[in-house]
Amino acid sequence: MKKSMIKGSILCGTMVLVGLNSGLTAQAADNLSGNTNVGAEVTTGDVILKVDSSTDFGQKPLDKVVDFGKKNINYTVTDYTGTKNGFSISAKLGDSDTTRSLKIGDKELSETAVAVVIAGSNTVGPNEGVVEASLVYTDAQDTQKLNSVIEWELTNTTTKEISE
């Protein structure tokens, strides 16, 4: 019985060694490298206009001509379109008041939109700027809190439109 146990042990040991050896051998059909294609696409993004939500010219006493002076209004045009051909910002008043003169730069605002900023080029991302507003009331009759609403509109322009 001892002989058969020894023979069995030797046989099992040989089978284990043969099994381990065959697992470590590289075969000719093994594939040890590969490729992955990675795709991406950059597309046209948004254009966003942001202007100061309010501008306060302060207080002045009642007079024939109440000149509130000048204030800056900040704007940011964020452009992710990739065209970089510039932009135009137009402004108009949301109401009419014959006693009010509200200007952006040297342009008098009314109920008809007028271009107040024309940029010949821009960069991808934020494009910051400032426009100067001036406010004058003529023949004001009462003391009161006065409010005006400026409506802004952003337009992408092309190089041809800018040169005209």
Side-chain angles (χ1 to χ4, degrees), residues 60-68 97-101 135-147:
K60 294 282 184 173
L62 181 62
D63 199 351
K64 267 306 233 178
V65 176
V66 183
D67 187 348
F68 285 92
D97 183 344
T98 58
T99 65
R100 173 191 60 216
S101 171
L135 178 64
V136 176
Y137 279 89
T138 306
D139 292 327
Q141 300 297 316
D142 298 313
T143 58
Q144 60 184 317
K145 181 95 173 148
L146 302 165
N147 287 309

Side-chain angles (χ1 to χ4, degrees), residues 4 6 14 17 33 38 40-41 52-53 59 61 66 68 76 87 89 91 95 100 105 126-127 134 136 139 152 155 161:
S4 49
I6 292 174
T14 304
L17 286 175
S33 65
V38 177
E41 180 181 2
D52 288 343
S53 60
Q59 298 176 344
V66 183
F68 285 92
T76 303
F87 56 87
I89 300 174
D95 64 338
R100 173 191 60 216
N127 296 271
S134 60
V136 176
D139 292 327
W152 303 92
T155 308
E161 289 172 335

Side-chain angles (χ1 to χ4, degrees), residues 24-76:
L24 298 175
T25 305
Q27 302 295 320
D30 287 348
N31 190 355
L32 302 178
S33 65
N35 296 321
T36 300
N37 288 326
V38 177
E41 180 181 2
V42 176
T43 62
T44 300
D46 295 328
V47 179
I48 301 164
L49 172 64
K50 181 181 180 219
V51 293
D52 288 343
S53 60
S54 65
T55 300
D56 188 357
F57 280 88
Q59 298 176 344
K60 294 282 184 173
L62 181 62
D63 199 351
K64 267 306 233 178
V65 176
V66 183
D67 187 348
F68 285 92
K70 297 177 180 180
K71 292 282 182 179
N72 287 335
I73 299 175
N74 299 299
Y75 69 86
T76 303

Side-chain angles (χ1 to χ4, degrees), residues 57 70-73 103-107 130-134:
F57 280 88
K70 297 177 180 180
K71 292 282 182 179
N72 287 335
I73 299 175
K103 291 182 179 181
I104 302 293
D106 62 349
K107 303 208 174 152
V130 175
V131 291
E132 186 177 70
S134 60

